[in-house]
Amino acid sequence: MVMLIDGKQIAADIQEELRVKTEELNAKCIFPCLAVIQVGDDPASTVYVRNKKKACEKIGIKSLSYELPEETTEEELLSLIDELNGRSDVDGILVQLPVPAHISEEKIIMSIDPAKDVDGFNPENTGKLLAGSKCFESCTPAGVIQLLKRSGIELDGKECVVVGRSNNVGKPMALLMLQENATVTICHSHTKDLPEICRRADILICAIGKPKFFDRSYIKEGAAVIDVGIHRLEGKKLCGDVDRDDVMDLVSAITPVPGGVGPMTVTMLMFNCVKAAEMHAGLL
Ligand code: GUN
């Protein structure tokens, strides 16, 4: 029987745990607060930002909203981040990406105080992840680890293949799986004989951004498959990087799209905000 990994339920469970924890922090006069900055009005970003603010509200995290016009200069954005870095009532700062082309994404990421970098994108946090020290972990890969652990899927000693090497997903994903004592292979667009390598995987993590790319030729019987992709097909139906209908009879567990990895990204952002507040209060 295939296990459908229920990201919606697991996200709801973690959010409830965070709500309780936030209540406990409030009782100690600690009020977690996230500043959310969006530059321009990219419709996808607007949806993501709205979901993040809604999640804050549900958990009891205060959110500050900065909706800046497309023409905002890099200096203006850096100046706002600088102000928020200095505010003791702000625990986390999130700049929704992508930023307009005239603003350097790298500069923006570097300017966020690593202690408030709840996205886990600042090189100080990614460097700490590499070194195996405590840090803010990138939310999507941290969410994948939670999905696997809370579904009772063993990671220790398993063959894990991560397909995709982005800074925000593929690379940190591989490091987190390594931390869990998996044997990790990272594949990418130049990998030779990708299906053969993927067929080694006990756990296959697909994060390449190509709709229904992974069919049964990539799957070992009994593998757990994590689908990080999300795409809107013509006719509005959503799908992932995995051709789920084609692989379903081979896998032992799989994340659906939607309702798999998606709900975990915002949930782990909330997790990082609560952790930031605890750190700033000297509790961690
Ligand atoms: N744009 C798409 N995903 C993300 C994310 O996780 N964080 C930020 N800051 N921007 C994004």
Side-chain angles (χ1 to χ4, degrees):
M1 200 37 196
V2 179
M3 178 187 1
L4 261 190
I5 300 173
D6 189 347
K8 245 170 117 172
Q9 184 59 52
I10 293 171
D13 292 346
I14 297 174
Q15 290 196 18
E16 175 57 18
E17 291 163 19
L18 291 170
R19 191 192 63 74
V20 171
K21 188 168 227 180
T22 303
E23 240 173 34
E24 290 165 7
L25 290 174
N26 289 170
K28 295 180 192 160
C29 290
I30 299 163
F31 301 96
C33 172
L34 172 68
V36 181
I37 306 172
Q38 183 182 357
V39 186
D41 52 8
D42 172 66
S45 291
T46 303
V47 173
Y48 288 132
V49 163
R50 192 189 307 138
N51 288 341
K52 288 168 188 178
K53 289 191 272 197
K54 263 199 223 158
C56 281
E57 205 172 312
K58 209 162 138 201
I59 291 164
I61 296 171
K62 184 177 176 191
S63 70
L64 305 174
S65 192
Y66 297 87
E67 284 152 26
L68 309 179
E70 181 83 18
E71 315 75 63
T72 304
T73 64
E74 189 175 275
E75 290 68 31
E76 285 167 331
L77 181 54
L78 288 170
S79 153
L80 171 61
I81 292 169
D82 195 42
E83 179 201 320
L84 295 168
N85 280 341
R87 271 177 64 168
S88 60
D89 62 326
V90 172
D91 298 295
I93 302 171
L94 178 130
V95 179
Q96 186 64 28
L97 302 176
V99 284
H102 64 275
I103 298 176
S104 156
E105 187 174 300
E106 192 187 356
K107 253 194 205 167
I108 298 307
I109 289 172
M110 299 275 279
S111 74
I112 296 171
D113 178 350
K116 299 190 177 187
D117 170 36
V118 284
D119 260 327
F121 291 169
N122 185 291
E124 187 169 316
N125 281 311
T126 55
K128 281 183 175 169
L129 181 63
L130 186 69
S133 351
K134 276 199 176 139
C135 62
F136 288 115
E137 296 170 357
S138 185
C139 300
T140 300
V144 170
I145 297 288
Q146 286 300 313
L147 286 178
L148 289 164
K149 284 190 170 174
R150 288 178 184 241
S151 302
I153 295 169
E154 177 74 36
L155 308 180
D156 199 304
K158 297 293 173 170
E159 284 274 354
C160 173
V161 175
V162 179
V163 192
R165 55 173 161 178
S166 67
N167 285 342
N168 301 342
V169 180
K171 287 183 204 169
M173 187 73 252
L175 290 171
L176 288 174
M177 289 301 291
L178 190 61
Q179 220 165 67
E180 298 296 333
N181 298 320
T183 301
V184 184
T185 305
I186 308 176
C187 299
H188 47 78
S189 53
H190 292 235
T191 296
K192 299 233 166 27
D193 205 349
L194 183 62
E196 188 197 318
I197 296 173
C198 289
R199 283 197 304 270
R200 289 185 208 154
D202 301 311
I203 300 163
L204 178 65
I205 302 178
C206 304
I208 62 167
K210 289 188 182 172
K212 298 192 181 187
F213 178 89
F214 295 89
D215 62 18
R216 59 194 298 113
S217 68
Y218 292 80
I219 311 289
K220 173 169 85 175
E221 192 169 354
V225 176
I226 302 292
D227 191 347
V228 182
I230 185 152
H231 315 276
R232 197 171 287 281
L233 297 171
E234 284 169 44
K236 299 243 160 183
K237 221 177 149 217
L238 293 171
C239 77
D241 287 356
V242 179
D243 185 348
R244 183 146 57 105
D245 294 338
D246 196 49
V247 307
M248 208 55 180
D249 62 319
L250 275 180
V251 301
S252 60
I254 190 165
T255 56
V257 178
V261 174
M264 295 303 291
T265 301
V266 66
T267 300
M268 298 316 287
L269 175 73
M270 299 298 110
F271 177 88
N272 282 348
C273 289
V274 173
K275 178 170 156 180
E278 288 179 290
M279 274 168 52
H280 299 149
L283 296 178
L284 289 180

